[in-house]
Amino acid sequence: MIDLRLLREDPDRVRASQRARGEDVDVVDALLSADERRRSSSVRFDELRSEQKVLGKQIPKAQGDERAELLARASELAAAVKAADAEQDKAAEEAQSLLLRLGNVVHPDVPVGGEEDFAVLETVGTPRDFAAEGFEPKDHLELGQLLGAIDVERAAKVSGSRFYYLTGVGALLELALVNAAIAQATEAGFIPMLTPALVKPRAMEGTGFLGQAAENVYHLERDDFYLVGTSEVPLAGYHMDEILDADRLPLRYAGFSPCFRREAGTYGKDTRGIFRVHQFDKVEMFSYVAPEDAEAEHKRLLDWEKQWLTGLGLPFQVIDVATGDLGASASRKFDCEAWIPTQGKYRELTSASNCDEFQARRLSIRIRGERGTRPLATLNGTLCAVPRTIVALLENHQLADGSVRVPEVLRPYLGGRELLEPVAK
RNA sequence: GGAGGCUUCGCCUAGUCUGGUCUAUGGCGCCGCACUGCUAAUGCGGUUUGGGCUAACCGCCCAUCCCGGGUUCAAAUCCCGGAGCCUCCGCCA
């Protein structure tokens, strides 16, 4: 959630942010008035309650008629206090629910617009020229099937569309990717974490996934658990309701977990292969930093992602995601998009978001230091979302006969293999 | 799934039976000041979190004793419901 003080002092900035996101601007004024009502009702309650306490102290000392009179007055006051309390609760609840509907205030440099209005910040590497090499590239699914690495037919039988088995070398490839990613993160000072995939509503709400994104979240009705779409959720929730010593920062965690996504509203999109699936594994970087360090940390997360993709030998571009395509929590988001030869375009592989204090306020995570007790900033960035990374690896490193060259960083985790070769049918 | 115990302001802890004097005790830690030629020791003061009043500071008010209800003029304290932790039993990895 955003800072209510900012809202009161500079509502125009919040209105502009909502407008840029393409979201409801009227919430801002509704919230301002709800906040006003909340404060006035709380003042009324405070006064009555104060009076009640003063009166209450006189009762045990009083005798006879005086006591009876005090009791009568106290009884009236008690009713008034109760009513004021209820009114205060109602106003606070209204303000809170409006507050939760507001997205984070967008960073001023973010390009305004929808999904297509991103800005390309840089391009790294060059896509291969398959025509010059003299063969037509196969897509990842065809390659995966030749290698005995991916089985989507049987997954459809067992679980339906958008599911997959990684088999044989495919399974080994995931484990190698995960190990290499965790190794890079650990090297950079991240603490490796294996996290819960089922979380309570509070964690989901706190990370900002129950607003616009709610339709993409699996919910277990009977137990009121949510299946996380990313380990960002349990990693953000990890320090929920805590006050951390300022000098413990930055705190960096590398989470590895399954991720579940309903992919509502994507019917017909990316239906072939494993580019868009309901369940996948991911290594995610997550940082807790002081608010003034958030922008620098955002750049660092991006650098680690670039290091990772560069190591895998993938050509990619970095984009500054437009206002309309940011999640509710992010003030700014950098995506790395890898070149997918058979699609002839760059597709999202990783995503680094700066959430500033937005999640920390919702989850009540603060730091205590020289500047007092205040919310901290949280940031997250993908290191390796497995299926998409496999898609990019297979397609970009394929040879004419359907073999796939293994990038050097992965070889130690694949028993030194340099080449994945088609299996005999 | 069943039975019992526990949960107090960073940590430990008193208080709960018997409601008001709890504005929550004490120790540790931490911060400030004083004193001692250093460290230490000692003394004094401060030290939950959130909201609000105020131009701001000082100050003051309200809430907060795991959470939510209830009883009462009044709840850390009594009653009901729930959560978490621990122990035992059952079942299962």
Side-chain angles (χ1 to χ4, degrees):
Chain A
M1 66 184 76
I2 67 163
D3 188 354
L4 268 178
R5 258 173 275 268
L6 168 73
L7 182 80
R8 281 181 216 139
E9 285 162 19
D10 194 359
D12 280 340
R13 203 172 138 209
V14 182
R15 285 190 195 101
S17 172
Q18 283 293 99
R19 200 171 302 120
R21 284 177 171 276
E23 280 172 27
D24 192 358
V25 179
D26 295 339
V27 184
V28 175
D29 292 285
L31 178 52
L32 279 170
S33 103
D35 180 50
E36 189 59 46
R37 268 178 283 130
R38 177 188 66 85
R39 277 183 294 161
S40 61
S41 65
S42 114
V43 167
R44 202 152 45 238
F45 169 79
D46 285 357
E47 284 167 358
L48 284 168
R49 179 68 180 149
S50 179
E51 200 181 330
Q52 183 187 35
K53 284 170 75 166
V54 171
L55 196 62
K57 281 187 184 127
Q58 297 168 359
I59 291 175
K61 294 178 232 154
Q63 297 290 328
D65 285 351
E66 192 195 350
R67 186 183 170 94
E69 192 190 320
L70 283 175
L71 278 176
R73 271 177 59 204
S75 190
E76 281 169 35
L77 251 183
V81 165
K82 196 170 176 179
D85 192 18
E87 200 179 311
Q88 177 187 233
D89 281 352
K90 187 163 163 268
E93 225 169 88
E94 275 173 26
Q96 183 66 13
S97 84
L98 285 165
L99 184 56
L100 286 176
R101 283 175 52 195
L102 276 184
N104 199 354
V105 175
V106 300
H107 188 285
D109 294 346
V110 176
V112 176
E115 199 179 339
E116 303 304 319
D117 297 308
F118 59 85
V120 177
L121 297 179
E122 71 178 302
T123 304
V124 179
T126 314
R128 277 166 66 185
D129 184 348
F130 285 95
E133 292 185 40
F135 72 99
E136 188 74 18
K138 299 175 178 60
D139 80 7
H140 76 273
L141 183 57
E142 190 178 351
L143 289 164
Q145 286 167 337
L146 285 171
L147 298 172
I150 300 173
D151 188 338
V152 289
E153 284 89 355
R154 290 194 176 88
K157 179 175 68 179
V158 175
S159 301
S161 66
R162 294 207 193 285
F163 284 92
Y164 59 99
Y165 284 79
L166 291 180
T167 58
V169 76
L172 296 179
L173 189 54
E174 153 146 2
L175 294 173
L177 281 167
V178 169
N179 275 307
I182 290 288
Q184 182 191 308
T186 307
E187 184 75 18
F190 284 80
I191 299 165
M193 300 271 262
L194 298 175
T195 61
L198 295 181
V199 299
K200 298 197 272 192
R202 173 90 197 284
M204 214 63 189
E205 174 94 272
T207 37
F209 286 101
L210 293 187
Q212 300 275 33
E215 60 169 12
N216 273 307
V217 174
Y218 286 104
H219 181 223
L220 301 185
E221 197 89 28
R222 186 166 173 184
D223 301 286
D224 203 11
F225 276 130
Y226 289 93
L227 282 161
V228 300
T230 161
S231 54
E232 171 190 345
V233 176
L235 289 176
Y238 190 65
H239 288 297
M240 179 162 80
D241 295 325
E242 293 182 24
I243 299 176
L244 305 169
D245 257 331
D247 51 22
R248 280 183 68 190
L249 302 183
L251 268 177
R252 299 192 177 101
Y253 298 113
F256 174 59
S257 80
C259 305
F260 301 91
R261 301 187 180 183
R262 293 188 65 239
E263 296 297 347
T266 62
Y267 303 109
K269 257 201 217 166
D270 302 312
T271 49
R272 187 173 159 82
I274 61 170
F275 190 83
R276 189 180 295 279
V277 291
H278 289 308
Q279 177 186 343
F280 60 97
D281 294 323
K282 178 159 65 77
V283 176
E284 177 86 357
M285 301 178 283
F286 195 92
S287 303
Y288 292 87
V289 305
E292 56 275 20
D293 295 335
E295 277 201 55
E297 183 73 3
H298 198 194
K299 297 279 193 306
R300 267 179 236 122
L301 289 176
L302 178 59
D303 284 343
W304 281 311
E305 292 180 3
K306 286 159 64 180
Q307 177 192 338
W308 171 248
L309 295 174
T310 304
L312 293 177
L314 300 173
F316 63 95
Q317 66 178 16
V318 180
I319 67 168
D320 201 342
V321 173
T323 49
D325 208 22
L326 295 171
S329 299
S331 66
R332 192 175 198 184
K333 182 156 87 170
F334 300 131
D335 283 2
C336 291
E337 301 185 320
W339 178 257
I340 306 297
T342 62
Q343 296 187 17
K345 53 186 173 187
Y346 288 99
R347 301 297 309 271
E348 176 186 343
L349 237 61
T350 71
S351 183
S353 297
N354 180 2
C355 300
D356 303 305
E357 299 115 294
F358 186 84
Q359 291 178 330
R361 280 210 184 81
R362 292 176 159 223
L363 293 166
S364 180
I365 308 171
R366 286 155 291 175
I367 43 171
R368 193 188 341 252
E370 282 170 9
R371 293 173 57 180
T373 302
R374 59 195 175 119
L376 46 68
T378 59
L379 300 96
N380 62 84
T382 317
L383 195 52
C384 181
V386 173
R388 288 194 179 186
T389 307
I390 290 178
V391 169
L393 276 179
L394 296 186
E395 294 210 10
N396 282 286
H397 294 323
Q398 64 179 298
L399 304 178
D401 67 350
S403 306
V404 173
R405 198 176 49 79
V406 177
E408 222 158 301
V409 286
L410 293 182
R411 290 179 195 170
Y413 304 101
L414 280 168
R417 290 176 76 158
E418 297 176 16
L419 205 62
L420 308 180
E421 292 171 288
V423 293
K425 285 235 168 171

